Amino acid sequence: MYARGFLRAGLAVACLAAAIASFMVYVADVRLREAFLGLEQHQDYARALRDFRASRSPLDPSWFRDTSIAVGLLHTGHPARAEAAIVKAVRREPLNAVVWVALTRLQVARKQVGAARVSWERARRLNPHIPRALPPPY
């Protein structure tokens, strides 16, 4: 009799935790979209950087968010921190060609052509449809 009550209480707690986690991911996703739209409208990288950072959630890591933060850092005069942000995304998702492309573009912007070629080749190994020529900088 008591076991059934504990089981129901445990299930209710698990459902509540899942609902809270889902809501947190939803809020992070909405903030991320709003930050991107704000950047498109205003072209204000400092503001976008604050907005992208505010959209972070430990439950919702995102290569898109990390890349956007890196581009914001680059355009606000923090190129080394920008590269560190992209490298973090590459380490988290080493099989994601998109983050390797982002790293390459950032390295091209920083005039690190040798490193950019290495990153570009990694992206091309992951996605053979990527063209041979290095991409433009951010």
Side-chain angles (χ1 to χ4, degrees), residues 48-113:
L49 183 57
R50 286 190 305 272
D51 293 345
F52 283 121
R53 284 179 170 158
S55 76
R56 282 185 177 154
S57 168
L59 301 176
D60 186 30
S62 166
W63 64 265
F64 181 76
R65 180 182 297 110
D66 294 341
T67 301
S68 300
I69 288 171
V71 171
L73 286 166
L74 180 68
H75 286 282
T76 57
H78 304 283
R81 290 174 53 201
E83 189 167 351
I86 287 289
V87 167
K88 180 180 169 187
V90 165
R91 285 186 181 140
R92 190 180 66 237
E93 298 185 44
L95 300 178
N96 185 340
V98 176
V99 293
W100 285 99
V101 170
L103 176 59
T104 303
R105 292 186 67 189
L106 195 128
Q107 289 168 330
V108 170
R110 295 191 69 199
K111 311 255 188 282
Q112 299 172 341
V113 180

Side-chain angles (χ1 to χ4, degrees), residues 5 35 39 41 56 100 117 120:
L39 177 60
Q41 290 175 351
R56 282 185 177 154
W100 285 99
R117 283 194 174 104
W120 192 241

Side-chain angles (χ1 to χ4, degrees), residues 27-42 44-57 65 68-69 72:
V27 168
D29 185 58
V30 168
R31 286 182 178 168
L32 179 60
R33 278 190 258 145
E34 287 173 352
F36 182 73
L37 291 174
L39 177 60
E40 277 189 330
Q41 290 175 351
H42 306 291
D44 180 352
Y45 284 96
R47 176 181 171 183
L49 183 57
R50 286 190 305 272
D51 293 345
F52 283 121
R53 284 179 170 158
S55 76
R56 282 185 177 154
S57 168
R65 180 182 297 110
S68 300
I69 288 171

